[in-house]
């Protein structure tokens, strides 16, 4: 009994081992060298053919008398009838049955079989074709006509039945009957091939007028481009140029908006070329290019360019090339109307042609594509369409009112509450100034300041008023400018500079005082420098010193210290210029020494500050000391370089670890500065550590001795 492991109820009495597929053991080929005699595939097939056993065929029966023939026919008919009873829908059985009856020369029975088959499935046109072929093959002409007539009556949309019927009548020489069958067929409005077959039939018998009338009916039934082109070619083949041109003209009237209109216009133009009418052809090409959508006119452009190269002059060729490029740009802007670079290229192309109306049309189409979002980055390219449009109207067409309208519409379109463009406001104002409309320019700039104030607008407006000499307006504008942007150091400096140029020193000083008292400034160092330079230029040395002290209260940057020291060093020269020429040299040297002492005192203060209050700013302190050393050197005999040299630091190259993103550590070199006071501290620390080590060592040795 098989174990439970091998038994399975689904296998019956067999075990799993019995069901395993046992493959033959693969033969191991020891000798893989090629055999001396090679056998081809052809030899293998030939041997297989020779060894094949002969096919067993039934013996041929010979019928010797009428009784055997009757039995044979009865048996075969019974077999066919049984097959039909089992598969009445199988037309192959019907066809074999009828063909067998035909082979027995029993035409009535064969005809009966065909009729029974058609009664079962009259929609099968193959049955009708075989039935009619049977009648024609056995020269039953009237019966064949009857079959064809019934077939085309029941199945008028099967073109093959009509073709066979007409072919039979034409072979029999019944031309009138064939024409009549064609006429019956045309009443059903067949496809183009049916009409063309009718035309060819008439042309075979040289019936030109009949063929022309058929073409007329054909283009009415199928008003398509291909139908009209065939009609025109038929007329052209007969030498009827006027008739062919008339056909093309009718086609252009009816099918100018058709999808295949491009093919029609190309064929019409090529027809005129063959007729040696290049002007007519050129007019047709241009008419087509104006009326066909650009997306469907690619082949038309190629043909037009080739035509102009063959028949046109230089201007014509240029027009054709421009037309081709125009088609490309139209295709680009149609695919992406927000691609403003394509619009720029398109406008530039039209400007080379010089058609003002078309240029304006392109500009209007371009500016109609407003950016989808109210974000400045989407508008930056778009706004230049308006700028170019306005400049074109002003410079090329010299239409002042239209230019003004362009600027007005552009400014109305921009959402100034979210963003604005100073360039547009300034261009509009400058345009009005060129037209000597100062009031209009002021109104535009005033609106700009009210709706979207910007630095550029204030600067340009102030510049215009300054050129006109309106000082009060400039002051009001500066006040408005500073109300809008009180942290703008440039505005404060320029305002003070304006007052100083007008010799209003107190006003300028008051403006500077007001400026440095602002809680927040964008570039305070420039403002302080301008104020200090102003006081120096005015010769107010005490005020300048006071300013430097106030500045040092706010910031201790080393550049401020250096600037202050340089000012003190140069104060002697300024005072010297103001003295009389006959003043004694000794007094001048004393004053210079005093200035050097003041400058040196400032450097001392700065060094003390960095040493005590900001020891971490080693690099700034080193720079300060270098500037001090340079100044002492420049003083010549009056300078004392040793004062600075004792304070100079030593430069040390050090390395510091840097952890990278992947967790690894690498070392980076940097410059460190070691100042004299730090080196003394370091030496003391080393001595102290050595003393501790020695003391610890002595204590250890005493313990060991005990």
């Amino acid at each position: 009994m098989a174990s439970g492991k091998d038994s399975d109820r689904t296998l019956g009495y067999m075990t799993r081992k019995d069901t395993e597929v046992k493959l033959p053991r693969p033969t191991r080929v020891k000798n893989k060298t090629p055999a001396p005699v090679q056998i081809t595939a052809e030899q293998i097939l030939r041997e297989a053919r020779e060894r094949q056993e002969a096919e067993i065929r039934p013996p041929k029966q010979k019928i010797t008398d009428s009784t055997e023939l009757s039995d044979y026919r009865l048996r075969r008919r019974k077999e066919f009838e049984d097959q039909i009873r089992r598969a009445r829908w199988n037309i192959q059985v019907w066809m074999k049955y009828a063909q067998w009856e035909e082979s027995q020369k029993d035409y009535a029975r064969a005809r009966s079989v065909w009729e029974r088959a058609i009664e079962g499935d009259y929609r099968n046109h193959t049955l009708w074709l075989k039935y009619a072929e049977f009648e024609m093959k056995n020269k039953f002409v009237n019966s064949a006509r009857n079959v064809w007539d019934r077939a085309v009556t029941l199945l008028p949309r099967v073109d093959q039945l009509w073709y066979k019927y007409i072919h039979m009548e034409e072979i029999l020489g019944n031309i009138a009957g064939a024409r009549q069958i064609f006429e019956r067929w045309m009443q059903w409005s067949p496809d183009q091939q049916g009409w063309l077959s009718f035309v060819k039939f008439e042309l075979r018998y040289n019936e030109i007028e009949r063929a022309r009338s058929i073409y007329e009916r054909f283009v009415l039934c199928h008003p398509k481009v291909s139908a009209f082109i065939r009609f025109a070619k038929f007329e052209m083949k007969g030498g009827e140029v006027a008739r062919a041109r008339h056909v093309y003209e009718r086609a252009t009237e009816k099918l100018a908006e058709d999808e295949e209109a491009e093919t029609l216009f190309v064929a019409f133009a090529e027809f005129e070329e063959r007729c040696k009418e290049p002007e007519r052809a050129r007019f047709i090409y241009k008419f087509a290019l104006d009326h066909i959508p650009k997306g469907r006119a690619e082949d038309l452009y190629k043909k037009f360019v080739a035509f102009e190269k063959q028949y046109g002059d230089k201007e014509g060729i240029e027009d054709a090339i421009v037309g081709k490029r125009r088609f490309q740009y139209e295709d680009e802007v149609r695919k992406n109307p927000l691609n403003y670079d394509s619009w720029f290229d398109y406008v530039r192309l039209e400007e080379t042609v010089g058609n003002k109306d078309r240029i304006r049309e392109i500009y209007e189409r371009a500016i109609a594509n407003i950016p989808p979002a109210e974000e400045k980055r989407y508008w930056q390219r778009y706004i230049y369409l308006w700028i170019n449009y306005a400049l074109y109207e002003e410079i090329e067409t010299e239409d002042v009112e239209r230019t003004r309208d362009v600027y007005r519409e552009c400014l109305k379109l921009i959402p100034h509450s979210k963003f604005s463009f100073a360039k547009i406001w300034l261009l509009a104002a400058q345009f009005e100034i060129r037209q000597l409309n100062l009031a209009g320019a002021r109104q535009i700039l005033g609106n700009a300041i009210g709706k979207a104030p910007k630095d550029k607008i204030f600067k340009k407006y102030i510049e215009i008023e300054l050129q006109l000499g309106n000082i009060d307006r400039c002051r009001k504008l500066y006040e408005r400018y500073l109300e809008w942007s009180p942290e703008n150091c440039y505005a404060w400096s320029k305002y003070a500079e304006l007052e100083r140029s007008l010799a209003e020193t107190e006003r300028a000083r008051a403006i500077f005082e007001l400026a440095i008292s602002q809680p927040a400034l964008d570039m305070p160092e420039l403002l302080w420098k301008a104020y200090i330079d102003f006081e120096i230029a005015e010769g107010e040395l005490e005020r300048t010193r006071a300013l430097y002290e106030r500045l040092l209260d706010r910031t201790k940057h080393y550049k401020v210290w250096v600037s202050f020291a340089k000012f003190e060093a140069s104060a002697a020269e300024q005072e010297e210029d103001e003295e009389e020429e006959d003043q004694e040299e000794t007094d001048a040297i004393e004053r210079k020494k005093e200035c050097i002492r003041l400058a040196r005192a400032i450097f001392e203060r700065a060094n003390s500050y960095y040493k005590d209050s900001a020891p971490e700013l080693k690099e700034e302190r080193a720079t300060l000391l270098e500037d001090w050393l340079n100044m002492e050197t420049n003083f010549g005999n009056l300078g004392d370089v040793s004062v600075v040299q004792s304070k100079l630091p030593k430069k040390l190259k050090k390395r510091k670890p840097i952890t990278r993103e992947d967790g690894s550590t690498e070392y980076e070199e940097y410059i460190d500065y070691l100042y004299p006071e730090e080196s003394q501290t370091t030496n003391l620390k080393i001595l102290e550590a050595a003393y501790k080590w020695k003391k610890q060592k002595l204590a250890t040795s005493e313990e060991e001795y005990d």
Side-chain angles (χ1 to χ4, degrees), residues 36 209 597:
E209 288 301 323
R597 187 185 62 77

Side-chain angles (χ1 to χ4, degrees), residues 305-537:
V305 171
F307 168 80
E308 286 293 349
K309 287 180 179 178
Q310 184 175 359
Y311 295 101
D313 52 6
K314 184 178 178 181
E315 292 182 1
I317 295 170
E318 288 178 355
D319 286 345
I321 293 170
V322 166
K324 188 175 181 180
R325 289 176 60 194
R326 186 180 289 137
F327 161 72
Q328 293 171 352
Y329 290 135
E330 282 287 348
D331 188 46
E332 288 179 15
V333 299
R334 178 177 54 81
K335 289 178 181 176
N336 185 8
L338 297 177
N339 184 2
Y340 301 120
D341 290 332
S342 299
W343 286 110
F344 285 126
D345 295 338
Y346 196 0
V347 168
R348 201 175 297 117
L349 172 69
E350 294 296 346
E351 286 178 353
T352 58
V353 177
N355 187 342
K356 293 181 181 179
D357 293 334
R358 187 164 183 82
I359 293 168
R360 281 174 176 161
E361 179 196 347
I362 301 301
Y363 269 123
E364 291 293 340
R365 287 172 57 196
I367 61 179
N369 296 294
I370 302 171
E374 291 185 350
E375 294 182 24
K376 192 166 184 176
R377 58 195 177 100
Y378 295 117
W379 288 66
Q380 283 174 338
R381 292 293 291 162
Y382 170 71
I383 210 68
Y384 277 95
L385 286 171
W386 286 95
I387 292 171
N388 290 356
Y389 190 11
L391 293 175
Y392 170 76
E393 291 291 354
E394 181 185 0
I395 298 168
E396 298 295 333
T397 64
E398 298 180 356
D399 191 337
V400 176
E401 288 303 319
R402 198 175 181 91
T403 308
R404 190 172 283 123
D405 291 340
V406 171
Y407 280 124
R408 188 183 300 118
E409 291 300 321
C410 179
L411 292 171
K412 192 185 296 183
L413 182 67
I414 298 170
H416 299 291
S417 59
K418 296 186 178 179
F419 59 86
S420 186
F421 294 93
K423 186 182 287 291
I424 288 289
W425 291 105
L426 295 176
L427 285 172
Q430 288 166 352
F431 163 73
E432 295 294 351
I433 290 170
R434 286 193 292 273
Q435 306 307 317
L436 305 179
N437 184 9
L438 193 58
R442 281 178 175 151
Q443 184 180 2
I444 290 169
L445 291 171
N447 289 336
I449 291 171
K451 290 183 178 180
K454 285 180 174 287
D455 287 331
K456 286 183 181 178
I457 297 172
F458 278 110
K459 290 175 185 177
K460 195 65 181 177
Y461 196 1
I462 291 167
E463 181 186 339
I464 291 169
E465 295 294 353
L466 195 57
Q467 288 173 351
L468 295 172
N470 294 322
I471 304 302
D472 289 336
R473 282 183 179 273
C474 291
R475 283 175 175 152
K476 288 179 181 177
L477 286 171
Y478 270 122
E479 289 170 6
R480 187 73 181 276
Y481 191 1
L482 293 169
E483 283 176 13
W484 171 67
S485 178
E487 73 282 353
N488 193 327
C489 293
Y490 172 84
W492 288 106
S493 301
K494 287 293 180 181
Y495 191 9
E497 187 180 328
L498 170 68
E499 295 295 351
R500 187 189 169 199
S501 66
L502 299 172
E504 294 284 351
T505 308
E506 291 303 321
R507 289 178 69 95
R509 187 173 287 118
I511 290 166
F512 274 124
E513 287 293 336
L514 192 59
I516 62 176
S517 64
Q518 296 299 315
L521 293 169
D522 55 359
M523 299 175 72
E525 64 276 6
L526 295 181
L527 184 64
W528 280 94
K529 186 178 184 303
Y531 192 6
I532 290 168
D533 291 344
F534 163 74
E535 293 293 1
I536 292 172

